[in-house]
Amino acid sequence: MRFDTLAIHAGQPPDPAYGAVMTPIYQTSTYAQKRIGEAEYDYARTANPTRTALQACIAALEGAKYGLAFASGMAAIDCVLRLLKPGDHVLASNDVYGGTYRILKRVYEAVGVEASFVEMSDLAAVEAALRPTTRLVWVETPTNPLLKIADIAALADVLGRRGAARPLLVVDNTFASPYLQQPLALGADLVVHSATKYLGGHSDVVNGLLALNDGELFAQLKFLQNAIGAVPAPLDCFLVLRGIKTLHVRMERHCANAQRIAEWLAAHPRVERVLYPGLPSHPQHAIACRQMRGFGGMISFVVRGGAEAARQVAERTRVFTLAESLGGVESLIEVPAAMTHLSVANSPLAVDPALIRLSVGIEDVEDLIADLDQALRY
Ligand code: P1T
């Protein structure tokens, strides 16, 4: 089946108990066992039917064999990082979500896992930054918040040349969603999602997902999912499943609205620079054209006038809500340096304080442009 059909049906046959068309919210912590050990489900941290449906759904959408669901995107990221031991090294994009930077530098470095950051679109720089101890290469594409694009297939080739010492290629696919980009087909080993964003799509749930093909790696991660226990509630799984049913329709509109707004911003006298992979001026526009079906709903731009100007604009919009997060049907605006990326302040990954990030929603684009127009007249 094709993507749009999978989004609605994958992992969700009518419920075997009563034929419910919508996957029921199995709000139970435990399950009756016929005899000791004789039960499909035994305890809800280990497995829950609503979660099973979501895990099957994300696997289908990413073209993966296996899916795993977590209480948040950070819990999914943490589960992957638990594969590492003291002395191991992670090579990550030099622009990542502030929380990803924070967990690498403040949580994992404290237990002896090293992290360094590189420009992932520069393959020679990536090759030079790999160490004998590199176990994971952690890629965001598009990155948060600078919308840089990395060539996943080219990175997989670089890593493939390392033979048995090949690190795992992990792609955080949150900004693209599986509708726009499928990293496993391009050679990635593991896909990470903050399903809080486009997959959920309605700013009403926090959730994280993994998708992968390797059976041994899946067994390790599934063990960790249960052993650590950062699992999502059944209601949260239901909400993500419901959100995913319209993912393909929403993404088309996010992309169309964002393209219009990016072009409009690029021509605005108060805007210094627009970062959007759909603009031919974007340095990796050609890679984005090759590896993505569309360019997504996220735009960042630098306003003339520095941090104060950025604050003014972000606080003056009326349709765009001033808020962290992204990927919902409603448009959001934020200043990463002061909000989502506070944890990279004073680091080499520090973000320009005049940078504004938009999560373009699916409202009427003329209303969105009118709103930005009045906000830019500060
Ligand atoms: O918030 P949570 O569901 O735990 O997901 C963390 C996360 C992981 N990866 C990326 C690329 C992300 O953007 C995020 C969360 N980001 C925001 C909350 C934000 O506003 O950028």
Side-chain angles (χ1 to χ4, degrees):
M1 281 190 284
R2 295 177 179 81
F3 191 95
D4 301 8
T5 312
L6 292 172
I8 294 165
H9 296 288
Q12 301 154 82
D15 184 58
Y18 298 107
V21 167
M22 283 302 293
T23 305
I25 301 161
Y26 281 95
Q27 190 68 42
T28 185
S29 60
T30 191
Y31 308 84
Q33 306 193 13
K34 287 193 186 69
R35 291 196 175 74
I36 292 174
E38 205 180 291
E40 194 178 345
Y41 289 90
D42 52 21
Y43 185 60
R45 168 162 38 71
T46 312
N48 175 286
T50 321
R51 192 170 101 211
T52 302
L54 175 58
Q55 294 180 157
C57 184
I58 190 61
L61 295 190
E62 288 288 1
K65 283 196 187 134
Y66 309 107
L68 287 164
F70 296 85
S72 67
M74 289 316 304
I77 290 171
D78 179 56
C79 187
V80 177
L81 296 176
R82 299 263 184 163
L83 295 167
L84 304 176
K85 295 182 194 60
D88 288 345
H89 170 245
V90 180
L91 181 62
S93 301
N94 64 358
D95 181 48
V96 287
Y97 170 55
T100 303
Y101 179 79
R102 181 175 54 205
I103 197 171
L104 286 169
K105 295 299 284 186
R106 307 253 319 258
V107 180
Y108 278 88
E109 283 210 347
V111 294
V113 172
E114 282 188 82
S116 64
F117 300 85
V118 71
E119 174 53 56
M120 285 289 170
S121 66
D122 181 345
L123 297 175
V126 171
E127 215 155 357
L130 288 169
R131 303 178 190 173
T133 53
T134 307
R135 290 273 320 276
L136 296 181
V137 173
W138 194 281
V139 179
E140 273 185 22
T141 182
T143 62
N144 181 1
L146 300 180
L147 285 310
K148 294 186 197 179
I149 304 291
D151 186 333
I152 299 168
L155 285 168
D157 278 351
V158 167
L159 300 188
R161 291 203 285 275
R162 295 176 66 86
R166 182 182 181 282
L168 291 178
L169 179 57
V170 184
V171 175
D172 184 328
N173 205 24
T174 299
F175 268 36
S177 90
Y179 180 68
L180 298 181
Q181 172 174 283
Q182 296 183 313
L184 297 178
L186 297 166
D189 299 293
L190 190 53
V191 172
V192 178
H193 279 286
S194 169
T196 314
K197 312 298 174 348
Y198 288 105
L199 293 168
H202 296 76
S203 305
D204 55 8
V205 63
V206 172
N207 186 266
L209 298 170
L210 298 178
L212 69 158
N213 279 318
D214 184 82
E216 205 172 303
L217 183 59
F218 172 67
Q220 282 176 293
L221 291 166
K222 189 172 150 62
F223 166 81
L224 289 168
Q225 180 197 41
N226 180 53
I228 298 163
V231 293
L235 172 62
D236 293 359
C237 296
F238 171 89
L239 288 170
V240 178
L241 281 168
R242 190 173 67 169
I244 287 173
K245 286 179 194 289
T246 55
L247 177 67
H248 48 297
V249 182
R250 286 185 285 109
M251 289 315 294
E252 288 291 339
R253 187 65 173 268
H254 284 297
C255 291
N257 281 1
Q259 185 75 37
R260 263 293 302 284
I261 291 172
E263 286 167 9
W264 180 84
L265 284 169
H268 198 286
R270 289 205 120 143
V271 174
E272 199 172 293
R273 201 152 48 95
V274 181
L275 309 174
Y276 184 66
L279 293 178
S281 61
H282 187 285
Q284 295 99 34
H285 177 63
I287 302 170
C289 289
R290 269 205 313 277
Q291 91 182 358
M292 301 176 78
R293 191 206 296 237
F295 306 109
M298 299 301 295
I299 302 173
S300 289
F301 64 101
V302 178
V303 279
R304 294 191 201 284
E308 179 52 26
R311 202 176 63 83
Q312 288 271 351
V313 174
E315 290 181 354
R316 280 170 55 94
T317 53
R318 297 173 195 142
V319 183
F320 281 84
T321 301
L322 176 61
E324 303 199 6
S325 202
L326 58 116
V329 291
E330 63 288 295
S331 293
L332 305 179
I333 189 166
E334 67 125 3
V335 177
M339 297 171 68
T340 52
H341 289 69
L342 253 184
S343 53
V344 299
N346 305 315
S347 85
L349 275 68
V351 178
D352 183 343
L355 188 86
I356 293 176
R357 190 188 76 180
L358 302 178
S359 173
V360 177
I362 63 171
E363 300 96 334
D364 190 306
V365 73
E366 300 305 334
D367 290 332
L368 298 178
I369 288 176
D371 190 34
L372 291 170
D373 190 42
Q374 65 78 25
L376 281 161
R377 290 172 203 273
Y378 55 88

